[in-house]
Amino acid sequence: MQKPSDLAAGIETTSEFKRFSQKNDVFSRAFWDSSVRTDETDAFFASYRMEATPRRGDGFTQRDFALRNASWLISDIMTDRFAGQGRREGFQAPISNDTPIADDKHLFDSPKAASADVKKVSRFFGADLCGVTALDPRWLYDTRVDVRDMSQADLGLPEGLSHVIVLGHEMDKDLVRTYPSALGGAATGREYSHEAAIVMQLAAYIRNLGYQAVASMNDTGLVIPMAVQAGLGEYARNQLVITQKFGPRLRFSKIFTDMPLDIDQPKRPGVAKFCDICTKCADACPVKALPFGSPKVGGGTSSIQGVNKWTSDAEKCFSFWAKLSSDCAICMRVCPFNRDLNSWPHRLWLRLALSPARRLALWLDRYRAGRLKPSSWWARR
Ligand code: B12
Ligand code: SF4
Ligand code: SF4
């Protein structure tokens, strides 16, 4: 029997549900599981240090790797601060407080006023979306990873946290059009660098108001169900949350807090219904890592157990990244919802896609611009 809040969010968990241990995500497995770690994954990681820059034509030149790696820089600096103590913050541990919690609490007139304040300040720091949800422990990792020996460690969250503020960060439209390429990876790296600053600054603001605020990027828990619960979008076949402003072309960060906040309601305008008639992402995936058919419970070592959802074959996906020596996001690029949803023809298309006329919207998608050659991106002035 689903809880009403799960029904509203389209979330279905079963009796086999078990919280996920971070050591089993495929990225972490590349450091301890010989079935994932190969010479290619080693070269993949080396390429982020410019130690191996395999030159394989357009999109994979030294210049493409140079831009990708430079775009990661601020995120890398933040992440490396406590790595020697096993805490790769923002990825395998929550981000430490750089400022204390003020002794005096600023009291808002209501939770609604507090949420409005947080949203305003999130925009000021540069977040593109902000939603609030109650902390649902199902989506917290069971344990995090100590990067010294990849052993399991406590998440280290303080007691009393009640809410999650989920932030969305738009990825560069033109760079995403160049995937698969090392150049496209600059869209990902740049947003990690941006979000590191934004999430740390917003958390500092909340601590300055006298409340707990733990800044978090990819670490500590699964942000996709949190973003869905916070009303930012709907989960789709390509394993991404699709929003009404940026489609799937964005990243998420989050803040855990005890600030009394008003929560947002999940919205299901009809993206999943569109996915029922579309398989563009699954068709385009070069290693067929994405599912066809309906959502299911189960999956491999790198999948959470007991959730009815579309699940990828993460080993296949990551093997393709290793081959490229760069991340892939073809499934984000080809998704019909990846379009400039700020312009009126595309907003019109969105209305059609979310209506019973979705088949017409799918047919019209053939007129959307295709892949941009990385060299053409460089040639543009
Ligand atoms: C590890 C990871 C990966 C792994 C694969 C995941 C895995 N199974 O190991 C790799 C490295 C291959 C990867 C690839 C990509 N990733 Co990734 N990934 C993550 C990360 C850091 C952890 C997720 C995790 O622990 N998965 C392990 C288990 C739980 O996986 P799973 O059972 O298959 O569940 C997945 C989904 O079904 C969903 N999910 C989990 N529980 C539930 C419950 C409900 C109710 C629902 C609806 C969904 C849901 O979330 C999981 C995402 O992997 C998250 C950030 C985060 N902390 O959430 C980003 C994240 C999910 N990735 C993201 C992106 C964008 C990508 C890529 C496009 C790469 C890129 N260039 O950006 C590709 C897309 C690949 C694909 N289509 O599957 C974004 C998604 C943003 C969005 N719009 O929704 C996130 C949130 C990172 C971010 N900073 O924003 N990723
Ligand atoms: S990121 Fe690339 S390899 Fe992975 S699922 Fe998407 S299209 Fe497939
Ligand atoms: S490409 Fe089609 S099936 Fe895949 S997520 Fe986008 S709309 Fe859904």
Side-chain angles (χ1 to χ4, degrees):
M1 182 66 176
Q2 282 173 270
K3 292 190 289 184
S5 54
D6 278 358
L7 264 177
I11 291 176
E12 198 186 327
T13 51
T14 67
S15 55
E16 295 108 77
F17 178 82
K18 228 170 124 233
R19 270 164 63 181
F20 188 76
S21 298
Q22 190 179 21
K23 80 171 193 8
N24 286 328
D25 82 51
V26 78
F27 198 82
S28 299
R29 282 173 67 201
F31 292 88
W32 64 266
D33 184 340
S34 56
S35 71
V36 176
R37 185 174 188 159
T38 60
D39 290 347
E40 278 179 339
T41 60
D42 288 349
F44 166 87
F45 290 115
S47 82
Y48 281 82
R49 302 185 294 266
M50 295 306 287
E51 286 165 12
T53 52
R55 290 178 184 76
R56 289 177 304 200
D58 197 13
F60 297 92
T61 65
Q62 182 167 0
R63 203 159 52 138
D64 297 305
F65 283 99
L67 185 68
R68 183 197 69 182
N69 295 357
S71 78
W72 274 91
L73 181 67
I74 304 302
S75 170
D76 290 343
I77 290 172
M78 190 280 293
T79 284
D80 285 346
R81 292 182 307 169
F82 305 105
Q85 297 163 34
R87 299 171 53 80
R88 193 169 163 260
E89 296 195 348
F91 289 85
Q92 274 123 345
I95 302 173
S96 301
N97 287 2
D98 289 286
T99 52
I101 301 171
D103 291 336
D104 293 331
K105 264 193 172 48
H106 173 84
L107 297 176
F108 287 93
D109 290 342
S110 63
K112 206 170 169 182
S115 283
D117 184 89
V118 162
K119 288 181 183 179
K120 179 183 171 73
V121 175
S122 78
R123 286 194 297 275
F124 167 72
F125 283 127
D128 296 307
L129 292 179
C130 179
V132 179
T133 184
L135 175 58
D136 185 334
R138 287 177 298 181
W139 317 128
L140 291 178
Y141 288 133
D142 187 23
T143 48
R144 68 171 182 90
V145 172
D146 181 320
V147 292
R148 284 172 297 193
D149 56 2
M150 300 309 280
S151 61
Q152 299 186 68
D154 195 70
L155 295 182
L157 289 177
E159 291 292 308
L161 298 170
S162 53
H163 289 84
V164 191
I165 300 161
V166 185
L167 305 177
H169 312 275
E170 182 189 7
M171 291 166 70
D172 185 83
K173 200 166 63 253
D174 292 334
L175 280 180
V176 167
R177 276 185 63 201
T178 71
Y179 272 109
S181 66
L183 178 64
T188 292
R190 192 187 73 170
E191 251 21 76
Y192 278 120
S193 287
H194 281 168
E195 74 178 64
I198 295 167
V199 80
M200 288 169 77
Q201 287 171 311
L202 183 59
Y205 170 70
I206 296 171
R207 288 194 297 272
N208 291 345
L209 294 178
Y211 300 93
Q212 299 197 63
V214 180
S216 170
M217 290 164 51
N218 276 6
D219 56 278
T220 310
L222 299 167
V223 78
I224 287 189
M226 296 179 197
V228 167
Q229 288 172 325
L232 295 184
E234 228 180 308
Y235 181 65
R237 184 188 301 283
N238 61 3
Q239 314 287 294
L240 305 172
V241 173
I242 295 194
T243 64
Q244 297 226 19
K245 248 185 153 173
F246 310 111
R249 196 175 29 80
L250 82 167
R251 319 198 70 79
F252 294 110
S253 62
K254 55 201 180 289
I255 294 173
F256 300 100
T257 183
D258 62 356
M259 192 175 190
L261 292 167
D262 189 37
I263 59 168
D264 291 296
Q265 296 309 315
K267 297 178 195 84
R268 297 166 71 193
V271 170
K273 283 195 181 129
F274 192 95
C275 291
D276 288 340
I277 60 153
C278 170
T279 52
K280 285 200 169 187
C281 52
D283 294 332
C285 174
V287 285
K288 296 288 169 267
L290 292 173
F292 292 88
S294 310
K296 287 187 182 55
V297 181
T301 308
S302 286
S303 323
I304 192 168
Q305 301 305 310
V307 184
N308 190 31
K309 62 179 177 65
W310 281 301
T311 295
S312 73
D313 183 330
E315 288 92 345
K316 279 191 186 168
C317 172
F318 195 61
S319 73
F320 185 63
W321 291 30
K323 257 191 197 65
L324 286 183
S325 281
S326 204
D327 63 301
C328 170
I330 296 173
C331 47
M332 176 186 279
R333 169 172 67 79
V334 301
C335 177
F337 290 94
N338 172 29
R339 51 178 70 230
D340 183 4
L341 293 169
N342 290 319
S343 74
W344 72 263
H346 291 303
R347 284 211 72 80
L348 210 61
W349 178 89
L350 182 67
R351 284 182 62 176
L352 201 63
L354 300 177
S355 78
R358 58 186 72 91
R359 280 188 194 279
L360 176 60
L362 181 58
W363 184 83
L364 287 170
D365 186 57
R366 67 188 58 200
Y367 298 109
R368 188 170 49 100
R371 181 171 183 260
L372 177 66
K373 272 170 65 182
S375 52
S376 306
W377 183 86
W378 282 108
R380 282 181 176 179
R381 287 292 170 241

